[in-house]
Amino acid sequence: MLNRLESVQLGVVRARGIDVSYADPEFDASLRAIIEARAGGLSDAEDARRRAVRDMLRNGVYKPTGRGKPASEYLLRAATDPSGYPRINWPVDVCNFISLKSLFPVSIWDEHLAEARSFVFRLGMTGESYVFNPAGQEINLLDLVAGCAVRSADDTSGTPIVNPIKDSLATKTTEASKNVVAVVYAPAGTDHTEALVKCCEEFRDLLVQSSAEASGATTVIDPGEESTC
């Protein structure tokens, strides 16, 4: 089935009632520390994870190289120039921090803008693409792991809105975002599972600290499970 991914385990994080304008000096210090650490290069074990992340995306015709490399590697490159490291808003900054720290690519989107009954993760099909930036650039999704918004009872494949490379512009967080969903993409294998669980829990805790009214939850979808949430 299209929504069974054998090479990927997914960590899903949901948070509601967050404050996108929140800021925290302790988080800023932690972010500076991980940027500095990544600027110094990866250990052998960390580089092995980076390569494992690339390998999990080698499906069909998709090759995770060049502009198609995982978003986590873009953050590694950004860490070499701290002055140019992207800061967007609380949920996106937390997303990027978790990705830079874990070396797993991460997607995050506004739950309201997605207008979904549920979300399914599958490989992109022929002809599927979406715009990922204000300049109108599109990413071809053929054979790329994609998170899709299911918007009706008879919609079995959903509409792609995120992937481990570039997320859709249409569902990105805004200054009005309150409820967000995120997914951490990790390679199959028990050696990555513990790290996936821990980074999802940290992700949730950071998101919900932004507001006393916020709540959050995490779920891990194992490789081969029906990847619907």
Side-chain angles (χ1 to χ4, degrees):
M1 294 178 63
L2 285 175
N3 58 339
R4 295 187 187 276
L5 301 175
E6 302 293 341
S7 63
V8 187
Q9 53 187 328
L10 304 169
V12 181
V13 180
R14 296 176 183 268
R16 296 191 168 189
I18 66 168
D19 179 359
V20 294
S21 65
Y22 180 75
D24 176 34
E26 290 188 12
F27 171 79
D28 291 343
S30 296
L31 178 58
R32 287 194 299 270
I34 195 62
I35 289 173
E36 182 178 344
R38 292 293 178 246
L42 302 180
S43 67
D44 289 345
E46 290 167 340
D47 194 55
R49 176 174 291 177
R50 180 193 64 79
R51 287 183 278 108
V53 166
R54 280 202 180 196
D55 289 343
M56 78 177 181
L57 300 180
R58 297 184 192 278
N59 297 294
V61 301
Y62 191 79
K63 301 296 184 289
T65 57
R67 292 185 179 181
K69 63 179 177 290
S72 45
E73 292 197 32
Y74 283 97
L75 291 173
L76 283 175
R77 185 175 65 182
T80 63
D81 179 18
S83 65
Y85 187 86
R87 298 295 302 270
I88 310 297
N89 59 35
W90 179 249
V92 175
D93 290 349
V94 170
C95 173
N96 289 343
F97 169 76
I98 292 295
S99 183
L100 194 58
K101 184 176 180 180
S102 67
L103 301 175
F104 297 140
V106 183
S107 292
I108 190 166
W109 62 94
D110 183 300
E111 187 174 32
H112 173 72
L113 293 177
E115 299 180 319
R117 297 163 58 100
S118 62
F119 301 95
V120 62
F121 293 85
R122 58 172 174 80
L123 297 183
M125 296 183 283
T126 300
E128 288 188 316
S129 64
Y130 56 62
V131 173
F132 64 83
N133 67 14
Q137 290 181 290
E138 295 188 3
I139 182 168
N140 184 347
L141 302 177
L142 179 60
D143 289 337
L144 178 57
V145 175
C148 307
V150 176
R151 292 169 173 150
S152 66
D154 58 354
D155 179 14
T156 58
S157 58
T159 300
I161 60 170
V162 295
N163 67 61
I165 317 303
K166 300 284 187 183
D167 295 336
S168 170
L169 178 65
T171 53
K172 287 185 177 180
T173 60
T174 71
E175 61 182 15
S177 296
K178 291 290 185 183
N179 303 332
V180 297
V181 187
V183 62
V184 183
Y185 309 88
T190 55
D191 49 334
H192 298 292
T193 303
E194 182 178 357
L196 175 61
V197 170
K198 286 183 176 179
C199 75
C200 286
E201 291 174 346
E202 183 177 15
F203 199 166
R204 175 202 61 205
D205 292 346
L206 284 168
L207 288 174
V208 301
Q209 81 174 45
S210 66
S211 170
E213 289 75 39
S215 61
T218 66
T219 304
V220 171
I221 301 173
D222 294 329
E225 283 189 24
E226 186 169 335
S227 304
T228 303
C229 63

